[in-house]
């Protein structure tokens, strides 16, 4: 039906074609056949370009953008099919704020999913569209709408639930990007601090959000483009060290926090060839060492010895040598 409708020269039913593309894309979230990708992407992007400012058209436009965001990152899409249009959508909202938070996040999610397959997009994402700056702004706005201190009550907090889900989508999109990003600037350094604030606010009552923040810390620690200095300035390191002392940590959190610490430890043990970077590494090494001393981190690691033994049975990323988790000077 999609192919037949898209190939019509006359009397083409554009609305029917959009509906077909939306249904097909959402039903095939894992992978869309190559021959149908141009039809779906072109049709959905065309639906987002409608400029009639009525409420019905606005909803149709935003549904099309939401559907685009569900096209899996595994689907290969040629840049000429989407790049100019998705840039227009993002820039238009940056200037006019004419989209809902969900639709704006969906436009970014679609672009970042394309970046996972095509790293040549990073310059557009970082320098032209300012992904980190926009993420900070959106996360701050969404965080204001969540009652972090209240226990979740599904029936009473429908609006906050909506913002919670959009915030989660932002964090998952950030995690996708951080696994592969190579360009780094001050905006991303500030983003670390924003994630730390959300983690601290969410850890009591919003475990899904909390866990996405932990993923972010680990991805940032693993990514060589992210400097240890940025993790220190953003308070990611001292936050993890503080959390390690809590008796309420589950096996998942223990695993991720240990992974973060061992990655930081290994990076600080690697000497730099550049003199300025080597001097900075030594300063950071001492700072992390002093934090570990202050938090009694070595005692915490010893107390986790049994858990570490359990964890390494399922992961080659850990060792039973306690010194591997520490920073020595």
């Amino acid at each position: 039906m999609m192919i037949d409708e898209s190939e019509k020269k006359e009397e083409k039913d554009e609305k029917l074609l959009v509906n077909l593309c939306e249904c097909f894309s959402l039903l095939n979230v894992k992978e869309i056949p190559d021959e149908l990708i141009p039809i779906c992407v072109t049709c959905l992007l065309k639906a987002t370009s409608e400029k009639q400012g009525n409420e019905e058209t606005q909803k149709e436009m935003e549904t099309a953008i939401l559907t685009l965001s569900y096209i899996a990152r595994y689907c290969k899409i040629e840049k000429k099919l989407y790049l100019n249009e998705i840039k227009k959508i993002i820039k238009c909202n940056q200037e006019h704020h004419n989209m809902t938070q969900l639709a704006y996040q969906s436009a970014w999610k679609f672009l970042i999913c394309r970046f996972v397959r095509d790293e040549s997009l990073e310059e557009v994402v970082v320098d032209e569209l300012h992904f980190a700056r926009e993420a900070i702004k959106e996360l701050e706005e969404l965080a204001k709408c969540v009652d972090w201190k209240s226990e979740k009550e599904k029936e009473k907090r429908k609006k906050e639930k909506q913002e919670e889900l959009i915030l989660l989508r932002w964090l998952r999109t950030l995690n996708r990007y951080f696994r592969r990003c190579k360009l780094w600037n001050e905006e991303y350094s500030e983003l670390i601090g924003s994630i730390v604030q959300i983690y601290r606010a969410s850890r009591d009552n919003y475990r899904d959000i909390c866990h996405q923040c932990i993923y972010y810390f680990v991805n940032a620690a693993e990514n060589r483009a992210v400097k240890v200095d940025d993790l220190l300035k953003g308070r990611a390191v001292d936050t993890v060290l503080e959390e390690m002392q809590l008796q309420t940590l589950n096996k998942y959190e223990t695993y991720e926090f240990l992974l973060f610490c061992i990655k930081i430890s290994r990076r600080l043990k690697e000497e730099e060839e550049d003199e300025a970077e080597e001097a900075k590494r030594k300063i950071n090494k001492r700072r992390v060492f002093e934090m570990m001393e202050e938090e009694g981190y070595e005692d915490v690691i010893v107390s986790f010895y049994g858990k570490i033994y359990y964890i390494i049975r399922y992961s080659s990323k850990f060792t039973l040598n306690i010194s591997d988790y520490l920073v020595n000077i």
Side-chain angles (χ1 to χ4, degrees), residues 16-56:
L16 171 62
L17 184 56
V18 170
N19 288 338
L20 289 170
C21 288
E22 287 175 350
C23 290
F24 183 80
S25 299
L26 291 171
L27 287 169
N28 295 272
V29 292
K30 290 188 177 179
E31 191 168 1
I32 298 174
D34 291 344
E35 65 272 20
L36 294 178
I37 284 176
I39 297 174
C40 288
V41 173
T42 303
C43 176
L44 292 171
L45 281 172
K46 186 177 179 182
T48 69
S49 64
E50 298 292 337
K51 302 296 183 184
Q52 311 170 17
N54 62 66
E55 185 177 345
E56 183 180 352

Side-chain angles (χ1 to χ4, degrees), residues 8-213:
K8 283 183 180 178
K9 301 297 182 183
E10 298 178 358
E11 298 183 1
K12 185 185 294 186
D13 190 336
E14 297 286 357
K15 189 166 185 179
L16 171 62
L17 184 56
V18 170
N19 288 338
L20 289 170
C21 288
E22 287 175 350
C23 290
F24 183 80
S25 299
L26 291 171
L27 287 169
N28 295 272
V29 292
K30 290 188 177 179
E31 191 168 1
I32 298 174
D34 291 344
E35 65 272 20
L36 294 178
I37 284 176
I39 297 174
C40 288
V41 173
T42 303
C43 176
L44 292 171
L45 281 172
K46 186 177 179 182
T48 69
S49 64
E50 298 292 337
K51 302 296 183 184
Q52 311 170 17
N54 62 66
E55 185 177 345
E56 183 180 352
T57 304
Q58 182 74 9
K59 285 183 178 179
E60 290 174 359
M61 179 194 80
E62 297 196 345
T63 301
I65 297 174
L66 180 65
T67 304
L68 276 169
S69 74
Y70 279 99
I71 296 179
R73 60 185 181 275
Y74 311 110
C75 296
K76 188 175 182 180
I77 308 174
E78 292 184 29
K79 281 191 284 193
K80 64 182 181 182
L81 289 176
Y82 69 86
L83 187 55
N84 288 336
E85 287 302 317
I86 206 71
K87 281 164 58 177
K88 284 179 188 175
I89 291 168
I90 290 172
K91 286 181 177 180
C92 184
N93 190 72
Q94 288 175 348
E95 186 176 349
H96 301 292
H97 306 288
N98 61 332
M99 293 162 62
T100 63
Q101 290 171 310
L102 177 58
Y104 187 49
Q105 194 283 327
S106 296
W108 273 113
K109 181 185 174 185
F110 172 80
L111 182 58
I112 297 303
C113 283
R114 310 287 67 83
F115 164 74
V116 171
R117 283 190 66 107
D118 183 359
E119 294 184 1
S120 69
L121 291 170
E122 187 164 24
E123 196 169 322
V124 173
V125 169
V126 175
D127 295 331
E128 188 174 348
L129 298 177
H130 302 281
F131 177 51
R133 183 190 69 193
E134 294 300 301
I136 292 169
K137 181 185 70 177
E138 293 295 313
L139 289 173
E140 287 177 351
E141 288 298 316
L142 290 163
K144 292 175 185 175
C145 301
V146 179
D147 184 1
W148 298 108
K149 295 180 180 178
S150 296
E151 293 289 342
K152 286 195 270 188
E153 298 175 35
K154 292 181 181 178
E155 293 302 317
K156 294 182 180 179
R157 299 174 50 254
K158 287 183 180 177
K159 184 178 178 182
E160 289 161 349
K161 182 69 174 178
Q162 177 181 323
E163 268 102 17
E164 176 192 342
L165 290 171
I166 301 170
L167 197 153
L168 259 175
R169 281 168 61 91
W170 268 110
L171 291 172
R172 287 170 181 151
T173 301
L174 285 163
N175 274 316
R176 283 195 186 97
Y177 177 80
F178 262 76
R179 291 191 190 103
R180 294 176 180 266
C181 75
K182 294 176 182 175
L183 289 179
W184 190 258
N185 58 33
E186 290 181 3
E187 291 176 356
Y188 284 98
S189 301
E190 293 172 14
L191 186 56
I192 293 172
S194 295
I195 303 296
V196 166
Q197 290 178 12
I198 289 172
Y199 171 78
R200 289 178 179 274
S202 66
R203 59 188 169 187
D204 292 331
N205 299 317
Y206 290 80
R207 302 309 297 169
D208 288 345
I209 292 176
C210 177
H211 289 165
Q212 284 299 317
C213 293

Side-chain angles (χ1 to χ4, degrees), residues 304-321:
F304 277 144
Y305 197 78
K307 285 186 181 180
I308 294 173
Y309 181 76
Y310 173 83
I311 289 170
I312 63 169
R313 290 171 59 193
Y314 304 97
S315 174
S316 59
K317 297 176 182 178
F318 296 97
T319 74
L320 280 174
N321 185 354

Side-chain angles (χ1 to χ4, degrees), residues 214 218 240 244 250-266 297 301 304-326:
I214 295 172
V218 175
V240 169
M244 293 287 283
N250 58 36
K251 288 176 183 176
Y252 159 79
E253 291 162 337
T254 302
Y255 176 94
E256 295 295 336
F257 283 144
L258 286 171
L259 193 56
F260 176 89
C261 291
I262 204 167
K263 288 181 184 299
I264 293 293
S265 176
R266 285 172 179 170
Y297 175 73
I301 290 296
F304 277 144
Y305 197 78
K307 285 186 181 180
I308 294 173
Y309 181 76
Y310 173 83
I311 289 170
I312 63 169
R313 290 171 59 193
Y314 304 97
S315 174
S316 59
K317 297 176 182 178
F318 296 97
T319 74
L320 280 174
N321 185 354
I322 290 176
S323 65
D324 289 339
Y325 301 86
L326 303 172

